[in-house]
């Protein structure tokens, strides 16, 4: 059945999948999808609370108005956008048992998911550059990372994420789809939609691969080169205590890189070579890729960054004092 249905009497819709195979594992517990909706709601609330708290603290505390925290605020905004892109369909499936999504809405969701993912990858590169300048050229830090440069970098990262993914949405919108329109996840991803196309997908696949190489492939290479130079600079420090102190300023960023790229690489490998694996594996990796970084990033930076941790403790003490009064 071709995509001409979307302009005819029958609208083109996709069926989203919750978590395949989970009912067989927990037959008694998951008779109702509300058991999944509750932890998902908790995850989304934790994500909103963590990232909004980070943004509020950076905005309200003038001591945090430095390049490192400006980039951290960009990361928090990218995390918010990524999570809010998946939230409507995730909660609709598990809370309202609504698995149907029209073609146009699926395209929009796919576009925002991939755009915010590219933006987050770009922000991680900018944060790597921040650490590179701070460690390798500390005397030039203030003169290099000016407010003007940070604004321009943020604009370039945003425009790249918006523009690179746009042709993906335009190309797939023109493709004919088969009668089977069951997607593998609780949200729309480009690779998943491409699997249901009845036609030649060479152009779509080639551009999708080019977009991934231009964004996440190039970004991971730049991050790797940055840390190679950072490690070389750290090894040149004579004092072991000073080395540990300098390296500790990179731990939060390195953790953010790992929790973003490890699920992404795993998902890419499984999409290419793991077609024989059970659907549950694909679903859990996709969920980890889109849900774990937005939830963990605020926790990691709150735990490992002294200024943010001190600010949170100050707010908690003030709140406790107000309640006692």
């Amino acid at each position: 059945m071709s995509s001409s249905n979307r302009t005819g009497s029958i609208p083109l819709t996709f069926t989203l999948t919750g978590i395949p195979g989970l009912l067989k594992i927990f037959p008694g517990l998951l008779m109702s999808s509300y058991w999944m909706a509750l932890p998902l709601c908790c995850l989304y609330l934790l994500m909103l609370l963590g990232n909004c708290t980070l943004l509020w603290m950076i905005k309200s505390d003038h001591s945090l108005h430095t390049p490192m925290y400006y980039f951290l605020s960009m990361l928090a905004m990218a995390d918010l956008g990524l999570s809010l892109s998946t939230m409507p369909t995730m909660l609709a499936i598990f809370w309202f048992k609504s698995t149907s999504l029209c073609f146009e809405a699926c395209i929009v969701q796919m576009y925002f998911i991939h755009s915010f993912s590219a933006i987050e990858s770009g922000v991680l590169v900018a944060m790597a550059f921040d650490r590179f300048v701070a460690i390798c050229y500390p005397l030039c830090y203030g003169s290099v990372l000016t407010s003007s440069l940070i604004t321009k970098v943020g604009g370039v990262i945003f425009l790249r994420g918006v523009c690179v993914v746009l042709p993906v949405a335009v190309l797939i919108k023109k493709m004919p789809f088969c009668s089977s329109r069951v997607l593998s996840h609780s949200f729309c991803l480009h690779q998943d939609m491409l699997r249901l196309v009845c036609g030649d997908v060479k152009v779509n696949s080639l551009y999708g691969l080019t977009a991934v190489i231009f964004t996440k492939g190039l970004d991971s290479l730049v991050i790797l080169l940055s840390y190679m130079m950072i490690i070389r600079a750290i090894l040149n420090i004579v004092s072991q205590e000073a080395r540990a102190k300098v390296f500790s300023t990179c731990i939060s960023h390195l953790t953010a890189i790992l929790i973003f790229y490890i699920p992404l690489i795993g998902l890419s490998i499984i999409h290419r070579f793991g077609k024989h694996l059970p659907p549950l594996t694909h679903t859990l990796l996709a969920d980890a890729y889109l849900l774990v970084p937005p939830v963990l990033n605020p926790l990691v930076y709150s735990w490992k960054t002294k200024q943010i941790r001190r600010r949170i403790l100050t707010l908690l003490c003030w709140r406790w004092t107000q309640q006692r009064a």
Side-chain angles (χ1 to χ4, degrees):
M1 193 175 293
S2 96
S3 60
S4 59
N5 283 340
R6 70 189 77 146
T7 57
S9 57
I10 305 174
L12 181 61
T13 59
F14 290 101
T15 301
L16 300 172
T17 305
I19 301 182
L22 209 58
L23 190 61
K24 295 178 181 177
I25 301 173
F26 303 107
L29 181 62
L30 292 177
M31 291 305 291
S32 170
S33 60
Y34 296 126
W35 286 102
M36 286 305 301
L38 186 60
L40 275 176
C41 284
C42 292
L43 276 178
Y44 279 115
L45 285 173
L46 185 61
M47 177 277 302
L48 287 168
L49 178 64
N51 286 289
C52 289
T53 301
L54 270 183
L55 288 170
W56 177 77
M57 283 194 302
I58 293 169
K59 184 179 183 298
S60 60
D61 191 341
H62 289 283
S63 67
L64 301 180
H65 290 184
T66 61
M68 175 182 169
Y69 295 104
Y70 286 140
F71 289 131
L72 179 56
S73 65
M74 293 181 197
L75 184 68
M77 287 188 282
D79 281 336
L80 282 170
L82 194 60
S83 291
L84 293 175
S85 298
T86 62
M87 185 170 67
T89 52
M90 291 281 281
L91 294 184
I93 289 170
F94 294 108
W95 199 266
F96 302 106
K97 300 181 182 179
S98 173
T99 59
S100 188
L101 189 66
C102 72
F103 178 75
E104 287 75 15
C106 198
I107 289 285
V108 170
Q109 185 183 48
M110 180 205 74
Y111 174 75
F112 279 113
I113 287 174
H114 290 293
S115 290
F116 280 113
S117 178
I119 289 169
E120 178 153 352
S121 180
V123 173
L124 290 173
V125 173
M127 297 175 85
F129 179 70
D130 169 81
R131 292 298 84 208
F132 165 71
V133 176
I135 293 171
C136 298
Y137 302 99
L139 298 179
C140 303
Y141 185 76
S143 59
V144 172
L145 288 169
T146 61
S147 298
S148 173
L149 180 65
I150 292 168
T151 304
K152 289 174 184 175
V153 167
V156 168
I157 291 170
F158 177 78
L159 285 174
R160 188 191 68 160
V162 168
C163 296
V164 167
V165 182
L166 187 59
V168 172
V170 173
L171 285 170
I172 203 165
K173 195 175 190 302
K174 299 177 180 179
M175 300 302 293
F177 286 87
C178 305
S179 56
S180 174
R181 299 173 193 152
V182 180
L183 296 171
S184 305
H185 306 294
S186 306
F187 34 77
C188 298
L189 294 177
H190 178 248
Q191 306 95 316
D192 205 14
M193 293 180 70
L194 213 58
R195 183 177 55 84
L196 305 179
V197 170
C198 286
D200 189 4
V201 296
K202 286 181 182 176
V203 175
N204 300 64
S205 297
L206 183 61
Y207 183 80
L209 180 61
T210 304
V212 169
I213 292 171
F214 180 67
T215 53
K216 300 178 180 74
L218 185 61
D219 291 349
S220 59
L221 182 62
V222 172
I223 290 171
L224 180 62
L225 291 173
S226 298
Y227 270 97
M228 285 173 65
M229 290 184 279
I230 286 170
I231 291 170
R232 189 177 67 177
I234 291 174
L235 292 176
N236 288 332
I237 299 173
V238 177
S239 169
Q240 193 164 351
E241 186 179 345
R243 284 183 192 175
K245 187 176 180 181
V246 171
F247 185 72
S248 67
T249 63
C250 302
I251 290 177
S252 299
H253 180 242
L254 282 170
T255 306
I257 291 169
L258 292 175
I259 62 178
F260 178 79
Y261 276 103
I262 287 177
L264 171 62
I265 293 168
L267 186 63
S268 301
I269 291 172
I270 279 183
H271 267 294
R272 297 287 177 186
F273 308 109
K275 300 187 189 302
H276 61 283
L277 293 174
L280 181 60
T281 308
H282 293 252
T283 301
L284 292 179
L285 260 179
D287 290 349
Y289 162 54
L290 294 174
L291 294 179
V292 171
V295 173
L296 289 188
N297 281 338
L299 298 176
V300 168
Y301 274 93
S302 301
W303 175 49
K304 295 301 296 181
T305 308
K306 188 186 296 184
Q307 292 90 331
I308 293 177
R309 189 168 66 247
R310 188 186 300 129
R311 177 71 170 157
I312 291 174
L313 289 173
T314 302
L315 288 172
L316 289 174
C317 290
W318 177 82
R319 185 69 178 170
W320 182 76
T321 306
Q322 292 292 106
Q323 288 178 345
R324 289 291 298 270

